[in-house]
Amino acid sequence: MEPIDRKTFLATAGAAVAAAGAPATVEAATASGVFLSTWKWGIEANAKAAEVFGASGSLVEAIEKGINVVEDDPKVMTVGYGGLPNAQGEVELDAGIMDGTTRRAGAVFSLHKIKNPISVARLVMEETLHTQMAGEGALQFAIAMGFKPMQLLTPQALEAWLKWKNAPHHETFWLHENHDTIGMVAASGGKVAAGCSTSGLAWKIPGRVADSPLVGCGYYADDAAGAASATGNGDVMTNYCTSKHIVQKMGEGMHPQEACEDLMRYMARSAPNLRSDMYCVIAINPKGEIGALSMNAKQPLQYALWRNGAGALHAAPHFM
Ligand code: ASP
């Protein structure tokens, strides 16, 4: 799938809407929910989210259950069960979720042994007055909430870790990388929500936390403006509060695609060396209009979109 430029993207998006016939109201257009996720595993996540939304009418519930599909899949080696471990061979998970109506978020950092960090994050949001919990405390909270600790390192992930560990000159994160996260944003009836879950960079220094579980960085949602999520080099994106930047720009009136571009423009101007690194974002506004963008064509983003009862994988435009 080739990355496409903005003009082609907006033309394609416009044609799709025209072909479907313009719905009378935002409510009608988004009644069954619009779900937008990062990467190819977003297809199944969105389908599950749409099903759960149909039954529960809750965007938060839909995002949690949609992301659970990816967390449970051992073939996705960057999220949940089967995620690649840290430098010491331990799987360390991060996740966050936000309800745009209450503007409340919940997140867990460096969570071990629990395969569904997004579900624990949701409980932090809904069952406590806290917003973010880390490490051992987050694990104890999860156990108290009824989650069962388990071994998250699959044979495939162990094999990959051993290969890295035993390579004579293996790269380490005392300076560098290896990714891919599930981020999901959703809209229905003027409401939005967002979630993000990851095992972070493979072979990371134990305890490392980047953008994915940080409110305003890996995800953000506000019914007054929209929702956004990010994937890519989180050690850098954290410094730009990417999701909050995009949501704020949507709140100022930008289309989600323009808001994504505004972020990339800001990053590219502030440090030209960022133009060649991997930064990708998705966004949705309360009307269900979407944006998706990668910084450059060499590290393209694929996004999955579910709308009007059908889902598909698309190539996002690239900024440079
Ligand atoms: N942003 C994630 C992290 O840095 C990785 C990714 O999305 O690819 O942990």
Side-chain angles (χ1 to χ4, degrees):
M1 200 175 291
E2 284 298 303
I4 55 174
D5 63 25
R6 177 175 190 263
K7 214 168 129 205
T8 315
F9 175 75
L10 289 177
T12 315
V17 170
T25 60
V26 169
E27 278 68 25
T30 62
S32 58
V34 181
F35 298 92
L36 171 64
S37 297
T38 54
W39 310 117
K40 60 178 191 273
W41 36 80
I43 290 269
E44 281 179 47
N46 287 350
K48 183 68 180 180
E51 179 196 320
V52 170
F53 183 70
S56 68
S58 160
L59 288 178
V60 168
E61 173 89 3
I63 287 193
E64 179 204 348
K65 296 297 185 296
I67 288 180
N68 283 164
V69 171
V70 185
E71 291 175 335
D72 289 345
D73 185 348
K75 293 192 296 305
V76 181
M77 297 178 82
T78 48
V79 179
Y81 176 63
L84 292 172
N86 64 22
Q88 285 175 357
E90 262 204 88
V91 180
E92 208 167 66
L93 304 177
D94 303 318
I97 191 163
M98 187 163 183
D99 180 344
T101 306
T102 60
R103 290 178 197 82
R104 274 275 291 148
V108 286
F109 306 165
S110 301
L111 182 65
H112 292 190
K113 302 188 181 79
I114 304 291
K115 75 181 166 70
N116 295 122
I118 195 79
S119 299
V120 184
R122 182 180 172 191
L123 289 170
V124 172
M125 174 172 78
E126 293 182 348
E127 300 295 329
T128 81
L129 293 175
H130 302 320
T131 295
Q132 310 190 135
M133 295 186 67
E136 183 59 26
L139 174 61
Q140 291 312 321
F141 170 76
I143 291 170
M145 287 287 135
F147 290 82
K148 299 273 173 277
M150 61 180 280
Q151 174 56 268
L152 300 180
L153 194 66
T154 56
Q156 293 90 324
L158 175 62
E159 193 186 319
W161 177 73
L162 286 171
K163 201 165 154 199
W164 167 79
K165 183 104 187 114
N166 296 329
H169 302 293
H170 64 235
E171 260 197 341
T172 73
F173 283 100
W174 294 99
L175 238 115
H176 237 73
E177 60 185 273
N178 191 339
H179 336 229
D180 285 349
T181 291
I182 171 88
M184 186 189 289
V185 293
S188 181
K191 295 182 191 312
V192 295
C196 192
S197 182
T198 190
S199 50
L201 298 195
W203 337 131
K204 62 192 172 186
I205 298 168
R208 174 260 192 195
V209 176
D211 63 331
S212 304
L214 288 175
V215 62
C217 297
Y219 64 102
Y220 197 75
D222 180 347
D223 284 0
S229 184
T231 178
N233 186 342
D235 291 308
V236 170
M237 282 193 289
T238 298
N239 302 298
Y240 288 87
C241 297
T242 51
S243 295
K244 174 67 178 165
H245 181 116
I246 293 167
V247 171
Q248 188 151 339
K249 292 296 167 187
M250 289 192 286
E252 290 168 12
M254 283 188 187
H255 182 280
Q257 191 64 27
E258 286 172 341
C260 293
E261 284 169 17
D262 191 84
L263 167 80
M264 294 298 176
R265 191 173 307 113
Y266 179 66
M267 290 180 71
R269 276 193 191 148
S270 78
N273 61 312
L274 301 188
R275 296 172 188 189
S276 56
D277 204 352
M278 183 187 171
Y279 308 111
C280 304
V281 289
I282 55 173
I284 197 164
N285 66 17
K287 291 193 271 187
E289 294 169 328
I290 66 150
L293 192 66
S294 67
M295 174 63 92
N296 58 57
K298 283 203 190 107
Q299 287 134 314
L301 169 69
Q302 286 183 310
Y303 69 91
L305 176 64
W306 176 282
R307 190 198 289 279
N308 296 328
L313 189 64
H314 304 270
H318 45 88
F319 179 68
M320 322 221 42

